[in-house]
């Protein structure tokens, strides 16, 4: 690693660790913290003093200055002062209190309350002066604030001197108490030299300020601090903390990697007569990129050290066959390979493809999904513990009771749907006392480099950066939903010419039941108006058997049009389908649109994609513009990161994979190469400092250990 060479070695003893002792004292050493508070704090993951130091504000509220009503901007918090000029109370549909406030700028702001007591109503006397705070928005009568904080002013009241930090809260613990606890804890922070475990040389190289003052700054900004920078998240103190946080994540993932790579793995040789036979039986030759990536995998597999490799490749780049070839290497060595996909539809498709290519070579392919129950499950489990050679399934493969005979390779497809914990769980499955399985992770949502570096810090990366020959970019148009009939007509013509089409129904996040109902309604309608066209329906609520049947019919050409929910988003491969309609495209994110569109343009026919929309926000318009402009998954991914932020992009906000507290990959992602070097250097030269950083930011590695 280049960074390791540039840094002078620092003896471990020079890394002060005394600070840890203060930081690891339980929170009840603070005055006024009793059992109830201890419990509430624990719900926030706060147990010791340093957890309070690193419980960072989510954002800030600015009550340091008053904004004139005329200058208010919707979408922002503001502190406003004015005179009550009107009060209106109504009960027509539900209780409503409206208070009009005027100020010297000659404009009016409405305060709106949906629940209130009569005392409150009385307090808003016309002519009285109020100071109010809240988020300004567009209302029916101009700008308004719903349920503002408010205070009647008798005399001039002083403004806040500094920004107010807003903390993540839990029941039984308010902002004020938490603020006080954090400040009390901060006062107990040790002096800088003892506290900052990053060696001076490293800090200089990364141009990092002092940790102790950075923490004071973000928790208790001073009156003369750069308010704008703090609110924007671009203050140097925030950068210092963000870099520490990124470093802690890198450290914890790189450490997992080191631990795994310190153990032996089965030696699997790629070249074999069966591989040659398989390659000869394919109706195509591998692309240059596929061969290159296969070569990289082959090298890993013979090394005797567990492979930890991510294969990135745009939709349709042909990742599956590479995985099939890798699995065959495991089988040829007398071992087993497991292939895991995030949805049943996709796992079933893999079952079909793996069986199609491997069964003729005499390889035993076995299926295990959550729905496999009873006797069938017992049989599958016996086979997995016995002579199964390739096991394909969903996350059911990771459940207790699934024991492999000799698992040597794990293939995980469409990784972005799994959390890091799940990945770790399957790794453990393979440890049969002597070896650790190789791991091949494949993702079809190409993610930006920076994001990959953060999310897959434990993996090496291979890139399939070439599509099979003859592919034509999908032509994309956006149409108002009012032109639906024209689109239906177009489908009729295309289908009667022997083309196949998808009709994707709106995404309804809250309920897959509503989503299924909407799909059924669309299906009924399309079937009624498209006489002579064979229409099928697939959604997440169908029984696996029925899903399978419908997919088979579509694949065999027994159906012309497939009405589907977004269940077909990932991985589904029907090369003859060349037309796709996506309803309510304005509701979908870029990654999802790209995935969906990737279902067409897989054969050599010119394909098209119609994005239907009802109404468009600026954001939706921007997304659809990107979709029309490019088919390049990487460009789309970069744009997605910019528009949505990284947490949502990986669908991992819930799993805590990259639930960063201060780091923001769009802002700090460019620091990652340096941070990664620094992490390697620390693991090598200052492992105790690494422990401290991981404990501070990730909590003693607990979160990564929990599956
Ligand atoms: P993805 O990378 O999205 O998982 P798939 O593995 O599903 O892509 O491959 C997409 C389609 O391309 C499949 O129908 C597959 O058989 C075909 N394919 C894969 N490799 C090649 C190749 N080298 N030449 C032509 N077609 C290929
Ligand atoms: Mg795929």
């Amino acid at each position: 690693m280049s960074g390791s060479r540039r840094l002078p070695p620092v003896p471990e003893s020079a890394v002060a660790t005394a600070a840890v002792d203060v930081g690891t004292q339980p929170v009840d050493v603070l005055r006024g913290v009793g059992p109830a508070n201890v419990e509430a704090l624990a719900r926030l993951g706060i147990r010791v003093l340093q957890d309070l130091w690193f419980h960072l504000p989510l954002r800030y509220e600015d009550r340091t200055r008053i904004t004139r009503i005329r200058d208010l901007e919707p979408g922002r918090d503001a502190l406003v002062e004015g005179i009550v000029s009107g009060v209106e109370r109504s009960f027509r549909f539900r209780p409503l209190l409206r208070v009009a406030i005027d100020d010297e700028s000659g404009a009016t702001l409405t305060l709106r309350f949906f629940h209130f007591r009569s005392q409150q109503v009385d307090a808003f006397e016309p002519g009285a002066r109020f100071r109010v705070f809240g988020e300004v928005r567009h209302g029916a009568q101009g700008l308004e604030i719903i349920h503002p904080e408010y205070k009647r002013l008798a005399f001039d009241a002083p403004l806040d001197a500094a920004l107010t930090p807003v903390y993540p809260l839990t029941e039984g613990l308010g902002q004020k108490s938490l603020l006080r606890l954090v400040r009390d804890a901060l006062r107990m922070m040790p002096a800088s030299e003892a506290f900052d475990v990053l060696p001076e040389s490293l800090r200089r190289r990364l141009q990092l300020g002092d940790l102790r003052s950075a923490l004071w700054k973000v928790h208790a900004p001073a009156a003369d601090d750069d308010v704008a920078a703090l609110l924007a998240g671009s203050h140097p103190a925030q950068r210092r903390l963000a870099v520490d946080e990124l470093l802690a994540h890198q450290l914890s993932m790189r450490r997992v990697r080191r631990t795994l790579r310190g153990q032996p793995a089965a030696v699997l040789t790629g070249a074999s007569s069966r591989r040659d036979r398989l390659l000869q039986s394919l109706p195509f030759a591998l692309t240059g990129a596929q061969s290159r990536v296969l070569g990289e995998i082959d090298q890993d597999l013979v090394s005797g050290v567990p492979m930890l490799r991510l294969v990135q490749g745009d939709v349709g780049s042909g990742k599956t066959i590479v995985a099939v070839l890798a699995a065959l290497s495991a089988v040829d060595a007398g071992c087993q390979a497991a292939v895991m996909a995030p949805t049943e539809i996709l796992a079933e498709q893999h079952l079909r493809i793996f069986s199609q290519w491997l069964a003729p070579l005499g390889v035993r392919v076995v299926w295990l999904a959550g729905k496999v129950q009873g006797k069938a499950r017992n049989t599958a489990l016996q086979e997995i513990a016995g002579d199964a050679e390739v096991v394909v399934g969903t996350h059911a493969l990771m459940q207790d009771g699934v024991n492999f005979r000799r698992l040597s390779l794990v293939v995980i497809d469409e990784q972005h749907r799994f959390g890091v914990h799940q990945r770790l769980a399957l790794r453990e499955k393979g440890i049969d006392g002597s070896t650790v399985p190789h791991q091949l992770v494949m993702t079809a949502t190409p993610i930006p480099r920076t994001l990959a570096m953060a999310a897959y810090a434990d993996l090496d990366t291979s890139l399939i950066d070439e599509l099979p020959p003859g592919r034509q970019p999908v032509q994309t148009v956006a149409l108002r939903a009012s032109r639906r009939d024209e689109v239906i007509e177009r489908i009729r013509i295309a289908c009667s010419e022997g083309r196949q089409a998808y009709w994707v129904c709106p995404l309804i996040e809250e309920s897959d039941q509503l989503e299924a109902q909407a799909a059924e309604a669309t299906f009924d309608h399309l079937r009624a108006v498209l006489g002579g066209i064979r229409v099928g329906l697939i959604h997440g609520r169908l029984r696996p058997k029925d899903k399978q049947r419908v997919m088979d019919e579509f694949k065999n050409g027994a159906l012309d049009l497939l009405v589907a929910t977004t269940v077909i988003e990932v991985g589904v491969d029907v090369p003859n389908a060349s037309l796709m309609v996506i309803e309510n495209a304005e509701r979908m994110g870029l990654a999802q649109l790209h995935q969906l569109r990737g279902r067409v343009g897989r054969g050599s026919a010119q394909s098209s994609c119609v994005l239907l929309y009802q109404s468009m926000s600026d954001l939706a318009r921007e997304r659809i513009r990107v979709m029309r402009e490019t088919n390049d998954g990487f460009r789309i991914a970069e744009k997605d990161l910019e528009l949505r932020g990284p947490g949502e992009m990986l669908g991992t906000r819930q799993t805590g994979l990259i639930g960063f507290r201060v780091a923001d990959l769009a802002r700090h992602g460019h620091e990652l190469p340096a941070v990664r070097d620094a992490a390697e250097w620390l693991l090598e030269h200052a492992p105790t400092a690494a422990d401290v950083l991981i404990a501070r930011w990730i909590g003693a590695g607990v979160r990564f250990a929990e599956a």
Side-chain angles (χ1 to χ4, degrees):
M1 200 125 297
S2 57
S4 341
R5 256 173 270 119
R6 257 175 283 145
L7 284 164
V10 170
E12 171 71 2
S13 58
V15 179
T17 52
V20 186
D21 303 339
V22 185
T24 52
Q25 289 182 53
V27 280
D28 59 11
V29 302
L30 293 176
R31 220 161 37 91
V33 176
N37 273 343
V38 166
E39 220 186 286
L41 287 167
R43 278 200 297 275
L44 291 169
I46 299 173
R47 289 178 181 84
V48 294
L49 288 186
Q50 71 179 6
D51 294 337
L52 278 169
W53 302 338
F54 290 92
H55 189 65
L56 301 177
L58 288 171
R59 58 190 178 87
Y60 297 92
E61 287 175 353
D62 185 359
R63 295 187 187 73
T64 62
R65 60 200 170 86
I66 288 169
T67 308
R68 300 183 337 147
I69 295 179
R70 181 165 297 286
D71 301 334
L72 289 176
E73 285 173 45
R76 292 199 173 194
D77 286 345
L79 186 68
V80 176
E81 205 173 293
I83 308 280
V84 175
S85 62
V87 180
E88 185 188 308
R89 190 177 174 182
S90 92
F91 289 97
R92 204 138 51 103
F93 301 109
R94 52 177 175 164
L96 177 68
L97 171 64
R98 264 206 302 250
V99 179
I101 300 256
D102 294 356
D103 74 356
E104 295 70 25
S105 72
T108 302
L109 172 72
T110 305
L111 313 179
R112 218 147 45 107
F113 299 85
F114 298 109
H115 31 87
F116 47 88
R117 283 163 300 172
S118 48
Q119 270 164 302
Q120 261 173 300
V121 184
D122 298 341
F124 286 112
E125 254 179 293
R129 179 173 268 288
F130 274 81
R131 186 175 286 172
V132 305
F133 181 84
E135 192 190 329
V136 178
R137 3 149 122 228
H138 280 297
Q141 284 112 345
L143 294 179
E144 63 178 25
I145 301 182
I146 295 173
H147 282 267
E149 277 171 37
Y150 62 92
K151 187 159 71 180
R152 184 172 174 159
L153 298 178
F155 308 96
D156 247 9
L159 292 167
D160 282 1
L163 295 181
T164 320
V166 179
Y167 290 100
L169 287 182
T170 180
E171 205 173 315
L173 201 65
Q175 284 298 347
K176 287 221 171 78
S177 326
L178 198 54
L179 187 83
R180 187 182 58 79
L181 290 178
V182 169
R183 302 248 163 127
D184 286 353
L186 285 177
R187 281 188 203 101
M188 297 174 71
M189 258 193 307
S192 264
E193 320 79 73
F195 184 53
D196 198 339
V197 294
L198 290 188
E200 163 87 52
S201 55
L202 190 64
R203 263 183 287 156
R204 258 209 315 273
R205 198 164 87 81
L206 295 173
Q207 299 184 315
L208 296 175
D210 176 58
L211 177 62
R212 197 172 182 278
S213 38
L215 282 171
W216 271 110
K217 191 115 297 177
V218 299
H219 284 296
D224 56 355
D225 274 331
D226 187 345
V227 170
L230 275 170
L231 287 171
S234 62
H235 196 284
Q238 288 159 318
R239 175 176 174 266
R240 163 70 217 243
L241 296 173
V243 169
D244 274 32
E245 182 173 32
L246 291 174
L247 195 49
H249 277 258
Q250 289 286 317
L251 285 169
S252 93
M253 296 184 83
R254 302 294 291 178
R255 177 166 280 171
V256 171
R257 177 183 165 87
R258 280 182 166 236
T259 310
L260 282 169
R261 305 260 303 168
Q263 290 166 278
V267 175
L268 312 176
T269 320
S272 77
S273 61
R274 282 206 286 192
R275 174 181 281 191
D276 293 341
R277 269 161 63 201
L278 173 54
L279 287 173
Q280 273 155 24
S281 69
L282 292 177
F284 49 76
L286 297 185
T287 61
Q290 283 170 318
S291 303
R292 192 190 68 240
V293 169
L294 184 63
E296 288 164 4
I297 293 170
D298 282 348
Q299 265 185 17
D300 288 346
L301 293 180
V302 290
S303 69
V305 175
M307 168 170 76
L308 295 166
R309 186 166 294 279
L310 173 72
V311 172
Q312 277 191 281
D314 209 344
V315 285
S317 61
K319 293 179 291 293
T320 319
I321 191 65
V322 173
V324 170
L325 287 158
L328 185 58
S329 303
V331 175
D332 276 336
C335 301
Q336 294 173 301
V339 181
M340 186 167 75
T343 67
E344 208 146 302
I345 290 188
L346 185 54
E348 280 160 6
Q349 180 175 285
H350 280 330
L351 177 68
R352 237 171 305 145
I353 294 175
F354 276 75
S355 306
Q356 179 193 340
W357 297 124
L358 295 178
L361 303 171
V363 175
R364 267 191 74 70
V365 182
V366 168
W367 168 246
L368 185 70
K371 302 257 168 62
V372 179
Q373 289 296 335
K375 234 171 98 188
R377 182 178 162 84
N378 284 336
T379 312
L381 290 180
Q382 269 170 26
E383 286 182 303
I384 293 169
D387 57 7
E389 294 179 298
V390 174
V391 185
V392 182
T394 57
H395 49 267
L397 291 182
M398 294 181 305
Q399 285 159 2
D400 285 342
V402 182
N403 298 306
F404 289 84
R405 169 177 52 89
R406 199 154 175 238
L407 182 61
S408 70
L409 169 68
V410 174
V411 177
I412 303 178
D413 197 13
E414 312 294 351
Q415 155 68 19
H416 63 293
R417 292 290 190 92
F418 292 104
V420 74
H421 316 311
Q422 287 166 305
R423 218 165 74 209
L424 292 178
L426 196 58
R427 275 175 189 164
E428 277 160 32
K429 278 266 164 226
I431 303 178
D432 58 2
S434 59
T435 63
V436 171
H438 297 284
Q439 194 181 149
L440 182 62
V441 173
M442 303 193 294
T443 175
T445 303
I447 58 176
R449 212 177 106 73
T450 51
L451 197 48
M453 272 185 111
Y456 306 121
D458 54 339
L459 303 177
D460 299 310
T461 308
S462 292
L463 198 59
I464 305 189
D465 51 3
E466 180 186 354
L467 291 178
R471 296 278 169 83
Q472 301 183 44
V474 180
Q475 274 175 4
T476 303
V477 294
L479 295 177
R480 268 194 180 285
S482 54
R483 296 177 62 183
R484 208 159 176 258
D485 290 346
E486 285 169 50
V487 176
I488 295 175
E489 200 44 41
R490 206 163 133 181
I491 293 218
R492 180 203 304 284
I493 295 168
C495 288
S496 43
E497 285 169 352
R499 293 170 66 184
Q500 286 179 291
Y502 295 100
W503 186 290
V504 182
C505 297
L507 169 74
I508 303 174
E509 259 167 22
E510 311 80 55
S511 155
D512 65 336
Q513 187 176 354
L514 287 180
E515 192 167 81
Q517 279 168 7
E520 272 163 25
T522 307
F523 169 67
D524 290 339
H525 175 69
L526 289 174
R527 207 167 39 159
V529 297
L530 285 171
I533 305 292
R534 297 162 302 173
V535 189
L537 169 68
I538 191 161
H539 57 67
R541 292 212 137 202
L542 291 182
R543 288 188 319 206
K545 254 226 285 307
D546 296 329
K547 275 190 251 178
Q548 174 77 62
R549 184 181 42 78
V550 175
M551 277 317 298
D552 284 346
E553 285 172 3
F554 191 57
K555 206 158 183 145
N556 303 334
L559 292 172
D560 304 308
L561 174 63
L562 185 61
V563 177
T565 57
T566 52
V567 293
I568 60 148
E569 174 188 343
V570 184
V572 168
D573 182 38
V574 181
N576 190 50
S578 61
L579 185 57
M580 166 163 287
V581 180
I582 304 177
E583 281 199 90
N584 281 112
E586 77 275 11
R587 285 204 210 152
M588 296 184 197
L590 271 177
Q592 189 166 32
L593 287 171
H594 180 64
Q595 277 293 330
L596 282 168
R597 183 174 60 181
R599 300 311 110 216
V600 293
R602 307 194 135 227
S604 47
Q606 171 64 57
S607 297
S608 5
C609 175
V610 180
L611 304 173
L612 285 178
Y613 61 90
Q614 302 277 356
S615 64
M616 273 215 267
S617 64
D618 287 349
L619 183 61
R621 183 162 297 121
E622 179 65 11
R623 284 198 296 250
I624 286 181
R625 191 184 62 75
V626 174
M627 287 301 291
R628 295 192 47 195
E629 212 174 80
T630 182
N631 275 273
D632 178 343
F634 283 91
R635 284 212 35 218
I636 291 176
E638 293 285 354
K639 200 70 203 177
D640 203 21
L641 177 62
E642 200 183 302
L643 294 177
R644 277 212 295 175
E648 283 180 54
M649 184 155 174
L650 285 176
T652 46
R653 195 147 273 171
Q654 316 83 315
T655 66
L657 170 52
I658 4 190
F660 291 127
R661 301 186 217 177
V662 270
D664 167 357
L665 290 180
R667 185 194 300 280
H668 304 113
H670 70 277
E671 316 258 16
L672 275 165
V675 165
R676 187 178 181 147
D677 286 357
E680 278 299 308
W681 186 86
L682 280 171
L683 285 174
E684 193 67 45
H685 300 283
T688 318
D691 289 338
V692 174
L693 277 162
I694 293 173
R696 278 178 185 168
W697 289 98
I698 299 172
V702 196
R703 276 171 224 175
F704 279 95
E706 287 165 356

